[in-house]
Amino acid sequence: MKSKIWLSPPHLGTTERLFVQNAFDTNWVAPSGPHIDGFETDIQTYLGKDTKAVALNSGTAAIHLALVLLNVDSDDEVICQSNTFAACANPIVYQGATPIFVDSEKDTWNICPEQLEIAIKDRLSQGKKPKAIIAVHLYGVPYKVDEINKIAQAYNIPILEDAAEAFGSTYNNNKCGTFGTLGVISFNGNKIITTSGGGALITKDQTLKDKAIYLATQARENTVAYVHKSIGYNYRLSNVLAGIGRGQMQVLDERVNARRFNYDGYKTAFQDIEALEFVAEPTGSKSNRWLTCMLTPSEAIKNNLIVALDHQNIEARPLWKPLHLQPIFEDAPRYLNGISEDLFKRGLCLPSGSSLSEQDLHRVCAVITQFFKQ
Ligand SMILES: *Cc1c(COP(=O)(O)O)cnc(C)c1O
């Protein structure tokens, strides 16, 4: 059996171990310590634009804290892109609020401006103003930032920007993660850089950063005895894992280039296969190409292709199943145009790791080219 080719495995550089060793040597093996501050500074420097980063133990925790900071409560509704991972919508339910799902547009596969405005108007007509909009840069491709921001501003609704998959992507030369009222990045093991598990909340407001740290560290008042005036969470990143993050920040740009190289390699290899379509980079945007995804002509072809790849020990997966199709969200209101369902039927993600060798890339391409010859 040929060696396994994974979808998106972790890819460590050379300095992560040194940072982790330092955490051990100095005994900062705790959810506080100098690597956490250092990692936050590295993220802030990378994102620019006066951003403040809060290092947390997952991207999901960052989404949850963002909703808490936006005062999302049990009577509230939160609009969420349907075409995404469940971690985007679950925290809405943690707050006891209701997710309202909005479909995608064809260019970026992300939240559709027309459907978004229809949804806002319809909720308003029912006397419910959405408390926030969760927009996602899926697979690293930026959503239509200007259009979505314009709508959010017109109705005065804050945007929670889920850049979990898009660290290193840009839109009009600004980094993803900096466009929302609050932004979220993930450092889960499958993401473009990783701390094994981890995330960050991004804001431009120091008061919000301070509040996020307070809530993420059990909401302890600054007193000798533990006094609590708010409900807190245990969401801070470990200093050991922040050490991994500091090493990973040094190679982030290389990781983006490697993933873009994969995308270009696939696209070139399949340029004569008319059946296959790729998602473009909309004008002004640059995707980190976290995962290379493509559309086949039909659900059956997609399924057969995934099986053919699996037979060669190559991991490929369908695109995210839209959240409005998930059994757990079957009662949630939704505003649909059919696009995310069509993408889910026909689309798949290809092995996209930054450590994918050219040889392995060719191995994947050969299986797919052969498949379409038959
Ligand atoms: C990975 C991911 C998250 C969750 O991040 P974790 O760090 O795994 O909790 C949220 N949203 C999207 C779009 C993701 O891909």
Side-chain angles (χ1 to χ4, degrees), residues 167-182:
F167 198 29
S169 297
T170 63
Y171 182 88
N172 287 344
N173 292 321
N174 290 312
K175 298 265 180 0
C176 287
T178 63
F179 301 119
T181 307
L182 289 163

PDB file of all heavy atoms in Angstrom, residues 167-182:
ATOM      1  N   PHE A 167      -6.277  32.613   7.806  1.00  0.00           N
ATOM      2  CA  PHE A 167      -5.128  33.350   8.331  1.00  0.00           C
ATOM      3  C   PHE A 167      -4.097  33.405   7.209  1.00  0.00           C
ATOM      4  O   PHE A 167      -3.700  32.367   6.658  1.00  0.00           O
ATOM      5  CB  PHE A 167      -4.582  32.633   9.570  1.00  0.00           C
ATOM      6  CG  PHE A 167      -3.695  33.489  10.437  1.00  0.00           C
ATOM      7  CD1 PHE A 167      -3.862  34.866  10.512  1.00  0.00           C
ATOM      8  CD2 PHE A 167      -2.693  32.905  11.214  1.00  0.00           C
ATOM      9  CE1 PHE A 167      -3.050  35.653  11.334  1.00  0.00           C
ATOM     10  CE2 PHE A 167      -1.876  33.676  12.037  1.00  0.00           C
ATOM     11  CZ  PHE A 167      -2.056  35.045  12.088  1.00  0.00           C
ATOM     12  N   GLY A 168      -3.694  34.627   6.836  1.00  0.00           N
ATOM     13  CA  GLY A 168      -2.750  34.787   5.723  1.00  0.00           C
ATOM     14  C   GLY A 168      -3.420  35.196   4.422  1.00  0.00           C
ATOM     15  O   GLY A 168      -2.739  35.555   3.469  1.00  0.00           O
ATOM     16  N   SER A 169      -4.765  35.139   4.356  1.00  0.00           N
ATOM     17  CA  SER A 169      -5.483  35.629   3.166  1.00  0.00           C
ATOM     18  C   SER A 169      -5.631  37.144   3.274  1.00  0.00           C
ATOM     19  O   SER A 169      -5.633  37.703   4.375  1.00  0.00           O
ATOM     20  CB  SER A 169      -6.892  35.028   3.102  1.00  0.00           C
ATOM     21  OG  SER A 169      -6.853  33.632   2.965  1.00  0.00           O
ATOM     22  N   THR A 170      -5.759  37.800   2.112  1.00  0.00           N
ATOM     23  CA  THR A 170      -5.946  39.256   2.135  1.00  0.00           C
ATOM     24  C   THR A 170      -7.091  39.679   1.216  1.00  0.00           C
ATOM     25  O   THR A 170      -7.467  38.960   0.278  1.00  0.00           O
ATOM     26  CB  THR A 170      -4.679  40.009   1.666  1.00  0.00           C
ATOM     27  OG1 THR A 170      -4.421  39.664   0.300  1.00  0.00           O
ATOM     28  CG2 THR A 170      -3.469  39.670   2.511  1.00  0.00           C
ATOM     29  N   TYR A 171      -7.625  40.858   1.528  1.00  0.00           N
ATOM     30  CA  TYR A 171      -8.658  41.486   0.693  1.00  0.00           C
ATOM     31  C   TYR A 171      -8.273  42.953   0.576  1.00  0.00           C
ATOM     32  O   TYR A 171      -8.085  43.624   1.605  1.00  0.00           O
ATOM     33  CB  TYR A 171     -10.026  41.322   1.378  1.00  0.00           C
ATOM     34  CG  TYR A 171     -11.175  41.895   0.600  1.00  0.00           C
ATOM     35  CD1 TYR A 171     -11.849  41.131  -0.342  1.00  0.00           C
ATOM     36  CD2 TYR A 171     -11.584  43.216   0.807  1.00  0.00           C
ATOM     37  CE1 TYR A 171     -12.899  41.665  -1.065  1.00  0.00           C
ATOM     38  CE2 TYR A 171     -12.645  43.748   0.084  1.00  0.00           C
ATOM     39  CZ  TYR A 171     -13.294  42.966  -0.846  1.00  0.00           C
ATOM     40  OH  TYR A 171     -14.342  43.490  -1.567  1.00  0.00           O
ATOM     41  N   ASN A 172      -8.111  43.457  -0.637  1.00  0.00           N
ATOM     42  CA  ASN A 172      -7.609  44.824  -0.851  1.00  0.00           C
ATOM     43  C   ASN A 172      -6.368  45.094   0.000  1.00  0.00           C
ATOM     44  O   ASN A 172      -6.247  46.144   0.634  1.00  0.00           O
ATOM     45  CB  ASN A 172      -8.694  45.863  -0.551  1.00  0.00           C
ATOM     46  CG  ASN A 172      -9.761  45.870  -1.633  1.00  0.00           C
ATOM     47  OD1 ASN A 172      -9.551  45.336  -2.727  1.00  0.00           O
ATOM     48  ND2 ASN A 172     -10.905  46.447  -1.329  1.00  0.00           N
ATOM     49  N   ASN A 173      -5.483  44.142   0.012  1.00  0.00           N
ATOM     50  CA  ASN A 173      -4.192  44.247   0.717  1.00  0.00           C
ATOM     51  C   ASN A 173      -4.289  44.304   2.236  1.00  0.00           C
ATOM     52  O   ASN A 173      -3.287  44.542   2.906  1.00  0.00           O
ATOM     53  CB  ASN A 173      -3.383  45.443   0.212  1.00  0.00           C
ATOM     54  CG  ASN A 173      -2.921  45.218  -1.219  1.00  0.00           C
ATOM     55  OD1 ASN A 173      -2.541  44.107  -1.572  1.00  0.00           O
ATOM     56  ND2 ASN A 173      -3.004  46.252  -2.037  1.00  0.00           N
ATOM     57  N   ASN A 174      -5.468  44.137   2.783  1.00  0.00           N
ATOM     58  CA  ASN A 174      -5.589  44.021   4.243  1.00  0.00           C
ATOM     59  C   ASN A 174      -5.817  42.565   4.603  1.00  0.00           C
ATOM     60  O   ASN A 174      -6.443  41.811   3.857  1.00  0.00           O
ATOM     61  CB  ASN A 174      -6.735  44.890   4.760  1.00  0.00           C
ATOM     62  CG  ASN A 174      -6.398  46.368   4.655  1.00  0.00           C
ATOM     63  OD1 ASN A 174      -5.322  46.793   5.059  1.00  0.00           O
ATOM     64  ND2 ASN A 174      -7.308  47.136   4.083  1.00  0.00           N
ATOM     65  N   LYS A 175      -5.335  42.200   5.773  1.00  0.00           N
ATOM     66  CA  LYS A 175      -5.377  40.794   6.169  1.00  0.00           C
ATOM     67  C   LYS A 175      -6.764  40.377   6.657  1.00  0.00           C
ATOM     68  O   LYS A 175      -7.432  41.135   7.383  1.00  0.00           O
ATOM     69  CB  LYS A 175      -4.360  40.553   7.296  1.00  0.00           C
ATOM     70  CG  LYS A 175      -2.909  40.819   6.885  1.00  0.00           C
ATOM     71  CD  LYS A 175      -2.249  39.553   6.468  1.00  0.00           C
ATOM     72  CE  LYS A 175      -0.806  39.586   6.026  1.00  0.00           C
ATOM     73  NZ  LYS A 175      -0.031  40.760   5.988  1.00  0.00           N
ATOM     74  N   CYS A 176      -7.180  39.186   6.288  1.00  0.00           N
ATOM     75  CA  CYS A 176      -8.423  38.637   6.824  1.00  0.00           C
ATOM     76  C   CYS A 176      -8.273  38.477   8.345  1.00  0.00           C
ATOM     77  O   CYS A 176      -7.194  38.110   8.829  1.00  0.00           O
ATOM     78  CB  CYS A 176      -8.750  37.294   6.169  1.00  0.00           C
ATOM     79  SG  CYS A 176      -9.308  37.491   4.474  1.00  0.00           S
ATOM     80  N   GLY A 177      -9.359  38.744   9.042  1.00  0.00           N
ATOM     81  CA  GLY A 177      -9.327  38.763  10.501  1.00  0.00           C
ATOM     82  C   GLY A 177      -9.461  40.183  11.026  1.00  0.00           C
ATOM     83  O   GLY A 177      -9.748  40.391  12.198  1.00  0.00           O
ATOM     84  N   THR A 178      -9.256  41.175  10.116  1.00  0.00           N
ATOM     85  CA  THR A 178      -9.277  42.585  10.546  1.00  0.00           C
ATOM     86  C   THR A 178     -10.511  43.334  10.057  1.00  0.00           C
ATOM     87  O   THR A 178     -10.601  44.547  10.223  1.00  0.00           O
ATOM     88  CB  THR A 178      -8.028  43.333  10.024  1.00  0.00           C
ATOM     89  OG1 THR A 178      -8.057  43.341   8.584  1.00  0.00           O
ATOM     90  CG2 THR A 178      -6.745  42.661  10.481  1.00  0.00           C
ATOM     91  N   PHE A 179     -11.466  42.617   9.437  1.00  0.00           N
ATOM     92  CA  PHE A 179     -12.580  43.329   8.797  1.00  0.00           C
ATOM     93  C   PHE A 179     -13.839  43.417   9.655  1.00  0.00           C
ATOM     94  O   PHE A 179     -14.692  44.267   9.437  1.00  0.00           O
ATOM     95  CB  PHE A 179     -12.939  42.658   7.466  1.00  0.00           C
ATOM     96  CG  PHE A 179     -11.794  42.628   6.500  1.00  0.00           C
ATOM     97  CD1 PHE A 179     -11.283  41.431   6.038  1.00  0.00           C
ATOM     98  CD2 PHE A 179     -11.209  43.803   6.067  1.00  0.00           C
ATOM     99  CE1 PHE A 179     -10.218  41.397   5.153  1.00  0.00           C
ATOM    100  CE2 PHE A 179     -10.139  43.795   5.190  1.00  0.00           C
ATOM    101  CZ  PHE A 179      -9.637  42.578   4.731  1.00  0.00           C
ATOM    102  N   GLY A 180     -13.982  42.532  10.600  1.00  0.00           N
ATOM    103  CA  GLY A 180     -15.213  42.515  11.381  1.00  0.00           C
ATOM    104  C   GLY A 180     -15.111  43.404  12.610  1.00  0.00           C
ATOM    105  O   GLY A 180     -14.040  43.923  12.938  1.00  0.00           O
ATOM    106  N   THR A 181     -16.242  43.562  13.301  1.00  0.00           N
ATOM    107  CA  THR A 181     -16.219  44.211  14.615  1.00  0.00           C
ATOM    108  C   THR A 181     -15.313  43.372  15.517  1.00  0.00           C
ATOM    109  O   THR A 181     -14.517  43.910  16.285  1.00  0.00           O
ATOM    110  CB  THR A 181     -17.644  44.243  15.199  1.00  0.00           C
ATOM    111  OG1 THR A 181     -18.501  44.833  14.217  1.00  0.00           O
ATOM    112  CG2 THR A 181     -17.695  45.049  16.485  1.00  0.00           C
ATOM    113  N   LEU A 182     -15.440  42.055  15.374  1.00  0.00           N
ATOM    114  CA  LEU A 182     -14.541  41.110  16.037  1.00  0.00           C
ATOM    115  C   LEU A 182     -14.152  40.053  15.006  1.00  0.00           C
ATOM    116  O   LEU A 182     -14.956  39.700  14.139  1.00  0.00           O
ATOM    117  CB  LEU A 182     -15.240  40.443  17.224  1.00  0.00           C
ATOM    118  CG  LEU A 182     -15.494  41.352  18.437  1.00  0.00           C
ATOM    119  CD1 LEU A 182     -16.540  40.730  19.350  1.00  0.00           C
ATOM    120  CD2 LEU A 182     -14.213  41.609  19.217  1.00  0.00           C
TER     121      LEU A 182
END
